[in-house]
Amino acid sequence: MVVVGLTGGIGSGKTTILNYFKSLGVPIYLADDEAKALMNRSKVIKRKLVALFGEEAYKDDKLNRPYLASKIFNDKALLDKMNAIVHPKVASHFKRWLQKQSSTYVIKEAAIIFENNLQSQYHYIITVIADEDLRIKRVMKRDNTSKEKIKSIINNQLSDKEKAEKSDFVIVNNDLLVAKNQADKVHNEILQKIKHK
Ligand code: ATP
């Protein structure tokens, strides 16, 4: 099974484009959503996160996301420790999910691919990019957050230019219709590449 990675910075429109691929019949896997679900569901993860962050990691038996976010923001060592607990579980969940798929290819959305050198996990990588001012406006509207907060997240991520250079395909999501046309082209190119492999 061919696994395509889809990545992009905050507010670039990863989820939006991913849903478009889904409408084309491509099975999609949302690694971040699965990670969050597993953090709530898995007793092993819960025990390890409480050991790492303290009892406050969970509130009313639900993951206390704002608390965790405040702890790991700007603390790479702690983020790495959390990822070491969660990522192996997501990886095995993905493996089981993949075995159930029967399509030509699947897409796995992952906010971080190049940052952690995970390119080898994918046959092809698509990066969604968009102008920074648009990304900021979209996230401000969606999450009701400040411009400064979003800018600091953008500055913490690898730049669009660097990600685009390392990718097999780039979708520019400034205008949605244009982006969907590009996604159609990428979809057909991937199918062609797989056919001629
Ligand atoms: P994050 O990294 O924060 O999860 P994302 O890259 O997955 O974000 P989306 O959630 O798809 O981005 O998009 C961010 C917001 O911008 C959403 O509210 C979405 O509806 C909107 N949006 C996405 N693409 C466009 C577009 N081309 N034109 C206008 N709005 C858009």
Side-chain angles (χ1 to χ4, degrees), residues 7-19 32 36 109 111 128 130 134-135 137-139 141-143 157 172-177 179:
T7 193
I10 182 168
S12 57
K14 290 181 294 297
T15 310
T16 306
I17 299 301
L18 202 70
N19 282 328
D32 294 343
K36 281 171 207 157
E109 181 198 21
V128 181
L134 289 175
R135 292 166 62 194
K137 268 188 210 150
R138 287 173 189 169
V139 180
K141 194 171 159 198
R142 186 193 63 188
D143 298 346
Q157 297 178 330
V172 184
N173 178 31
N174 290 333
D175 176 272
L176 192 54
L177 206 61

Side-chain angles (χ1 to χ4, degrees), residues 20-21 170-173 176-189:
Y20 183 67
F21 277 99
V170 176
I171 293 176
V172 184
N173 178 31
L176 192 54
L177 206 61
V178 175
K180 283 179 177 176
N181 280 331
Q182 289 178 8
D184 284 333
K185 268 176 95 176
V186 169
H187 176 63
N188 288 326
E189 275 184 50

Side-chain angles (χ1 to χ4, degrees), residues 40-148:
N40 275 314
R41 194 164 74 220
S42 158
K43 288 200 169 60
V44 180
I45 292 182
K46 192 176 171 186
R47 185 168 39 77
K48 289 184 179 174
L49 289 181
V50 168
L52 185 63
F53 293 100
E55 292 292 337
E56 271 185 89
Y58 289 82
K59 211 171 157 185
D60 303 328
D61 217 31
K62 281 262 163 254
L63 189 71
N64 186 353
R65 301 214 318 121
Y67 176 75
L68 254 61
S70 70
K71 287 280 168 192
I72 57 175
F73 194 68
N74 285 333
D75 190 340
K76 173 95 170 55
L78 199 57
L79 172 67
D80 288 345
K81 281 184 189 166
M82 186 181 89
N83 285 341
I85 295 169
V86 181
H87 282 175
K89 290 272 177 197
V90 180
S92 49
H93 182 269
F94 175 69
K95 228 174 162 178
R96 287 197 302 277
W97 176 86
L98 198 56
Q99 279 164 359
K100 290 185 216 148
Q101 309 308 318
S102 55
S103 56
T104 313
Y105 75 99
V106 303
I107 299 185
K108 181 177 174 188
E109 181 198 21
I112 285 163
I113 293 180
F114 304 115
E115 288 84 344
N116 288 359
N117 258 320
L118 301 173
Q119 295 92 305
S120 63
Q121 294 185 0
Y122 304 95
H123 294 86
Y124 305 109
I125 297 175
I126 304 169
T127 294
V128 181
I129 63 171
D131 292 350
E132 190 170 309
D133 55 334
L134 289 175
R135 292 166 62 194
I136 293 170
K137 268 188 210 150
R138 287 173 189 169
V139 180
M140 279 175 79
K141 194 171 159 198
R142 186 193 63 188
D143 298 346
N144 205 15
T145 29
S146 72
K147 192 173 180 171
E148 289 64 38

